[in-house]
């Protein structure tokens, strides 16, 4: 029997040398920067700048809503101008925004910074999918999974750096981290400039029976329904960092350190199993079944977490470990299914427009997540967890029919392109290791 090779397994996460590997290098550096940013920015604003919790939350919420209408426009610009140009615009703005955190002095300066940053961040999110599709061509789904897995590694590394800075705790320790994040974005921009400046793809030619429309996504009913389901499923990705810490600390006897353990387990499962669990998810119908498995897995994991109160610390710890692992696997199926649908349903010339619409829906879900998780679920205990899991199961049950509807309504050329990335079983390490999404 062939032994396990860590080197070969690690190589399965890397595409061949070339533009794909260049993109992944830049993306991973960006995720390291994000891994530093996410744990520190609220602490910096509330503990160092001394902005109240309520005003910090208000500024972040207002900024999210202000930037929201721009995502569809940004995605359309990526299709019309070329994706690399719009991606670079988004990266440049985030570089300036991260550096601007050191100048925040109160609510109004915070609001200006986060509003500006969201304009550029939403622009980036709406255009990165179009760039990845141009770089990877028929192998987009595998490439997107590799990006996801290595991005998780980057976030983990960044969080370790953030932990050091938080331990030091001085104002200049935080400011130094923000300046380091900004410097990382300069590196990402330099790496992205090495990727070709792809020209916009031609739109379908008009005929007497049909003329191409600019906002095709707004007329694509299967994709609109899919976007709503996908956006609602996105709420599940915030359970680990919004609902679970409160549940563990306030409602169970599990040690407080299990909060950190849950983060480590969730990330570790994604890193180890992302490629393996996603290797056979390539067509729209396979993606729909993956989302169904996601719904079942989320319900099962949430039931384990819901059972934690009233038990001894050791049993509560066992339940949180088991629940988090099951949920992490479910989320791998979720992101794997989403990757396929988000690249197989949109026409290639309108990928950015479709991504922009999808990001608009997802941002609304992200805005609603704290209200659902902290305002409703946590207060209802076991019933709240059961209701949340049941809701995600319902979304999973709907997904195969939605995926089939989307596949049937694609033009023949697009349907063929959507399945062109089906892996050859003899491809070797990559096919044998086999991703999720998650964002």
């Amino acid at each position: 029997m062939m032994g396990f090779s860590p080197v070969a397994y690690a190589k399965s996460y890397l595409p061949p040398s070339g533009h794909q590997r260049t993109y992944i290098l830049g993306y991973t550096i960006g995720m390291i920067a994000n891994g530093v940013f996410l744990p520190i920015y609220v602490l910096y604003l509330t503990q160092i700048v001394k902005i109240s919790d309520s005003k910090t939350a208000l500024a972040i919420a207002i900024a999210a809503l202000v930037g929201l209408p721009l995502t569809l426009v940004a995605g359309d610009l990526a299709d019309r101008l070329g994706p690399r140009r719009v991606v670079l615009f988004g990266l440049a703005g985030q570089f300036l925004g991260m550096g601007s955190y050191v100048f925040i002095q109160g609510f109004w300066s915070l609001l200006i910074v986060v509003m500006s940053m969201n304009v550029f961040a939403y622009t980036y999110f709406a255009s990165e999918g179009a760039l990845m599709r141009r770089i990877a061509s028929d192998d987009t789904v595998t490439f997107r999974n590799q990006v996801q897995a290595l991005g998780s590694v980057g976030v983990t590394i960044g969080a370790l750096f953030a932990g050091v800075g938080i331990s030091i705790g001085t104002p200049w320790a935080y400011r130094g981290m923000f300046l380091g994040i900004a410097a990382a974005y300069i590196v990402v921009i330099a790496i992205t400039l090495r990727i070709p400046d792809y020209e916009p793809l031609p739109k379908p030619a008009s005929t007497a029976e049909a003329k191409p429309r600019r906002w095709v996504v707004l007329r694509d009913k299967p994709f609109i329904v899919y976007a709503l389901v996908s956006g609602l499923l996105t709420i599940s990705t915030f359970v680990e960092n919004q609902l679970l810490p409160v549940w563990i600390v306030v409602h169970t006897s599990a040690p407080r350190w299990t909060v950190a353990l849950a983060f480590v387990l969730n990330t570790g499962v994604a890193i180890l199993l992302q490629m393996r669990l996603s290797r056979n998810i390539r067509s729209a119908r396979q993606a729909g079944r993956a989302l169904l498995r996601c719904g079942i897995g989320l319900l099962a994991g949430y039931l384990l977490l819901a059972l934690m109160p009233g038990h001894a610390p050791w049993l509560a710890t066992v339940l949180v470990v088991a629940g988090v692992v099951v949920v992490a696997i479910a989320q791998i199926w979720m992101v794997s299914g989403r990757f396929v649908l988000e690249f197989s349903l949109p026409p290639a010339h309108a990928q950015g427009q479709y991504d922009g619409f999808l990001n608009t829906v997802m941002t609304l879900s992200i805005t609603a997540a704290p209200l659902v998780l902290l305002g409703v679920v946590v207060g209802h205990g076991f019933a709240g967890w059961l209701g949340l899991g049941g809701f995600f199961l319902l979304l999973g049950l709907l997904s195969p029919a939605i995926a089939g509807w989307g596949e049937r309504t694609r033009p023949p050329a697009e349907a063929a392109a959507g399945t062109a990335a089906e892996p050859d079983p003899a491809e070797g390490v990559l096919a044998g290791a086999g991703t999720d999404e998650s964002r």
Side-chain angles (χ1 to χ4, degrees), residues 60-61 64-65 68 122 238 361-372:
I60 293 171
L65 294 176
L68 185 61
Y122 289 172
F238 292 90
V361 176
M362 287 190 172
T363 302
L364 290 173
S365 296
I366 291 170
T367 304
L371 300 176
V372 173

Side-chain angles (χ1 to χ4, degrees), residues 223-305:
F223 188 84
I224 290 173
V225 175
Y226 159 72
L228 294 174
V229 169
S230 182
L232 290 171
L233 279 171
T234 299
I235 294 175
S236 69
T237 63
F238 292 90
V239 169
E240 286 78 16
N241 57 34
Q242 293 184 5
L243 174 58
L244 191 56
V246 176
W247 181 250
I248 290 173
V249 173
V250 177
H251 297 276
T252 79
S253 62
R256 290 175 179 259
W257 52 261
T258 55
V259 173
L261 177 63
F263 281 96
V264 173
L265 284 173
N266 185 271
T267 304
V269 169
I271 292 170
L272 292 174
L273 299 181
Q274 179 82 27
M275 297 300 297
R276 186 175 297 277
L277 293 182
S278 66
R279 65 187 180 191
N280 293 322
I281 304 172
R282 289 294 180 269
S283 70
R285 293 180 187 275
Q286 289 170 340
R289 291 193 291 271
L291 294 180
L292 172 58
R293 293 196 297 272
C294 167
I296 296 171
L298 289 176
L299 175 60
Y302 292 163
L303 286 176
L304 289 170
L305 297 173

Side-chain angles (χ1 to χ4, degrees), residues 111-129:
L111 184 61
I112 292 171
V113 169
V114 293
M115 284 175 60
S116 302
M117 271 197 64
N118 277 358
V119 170
F120 293 104
Y122 289 172
T123 297
Y124 173 79
F125 291 137
S127 55
E128 63 169 342

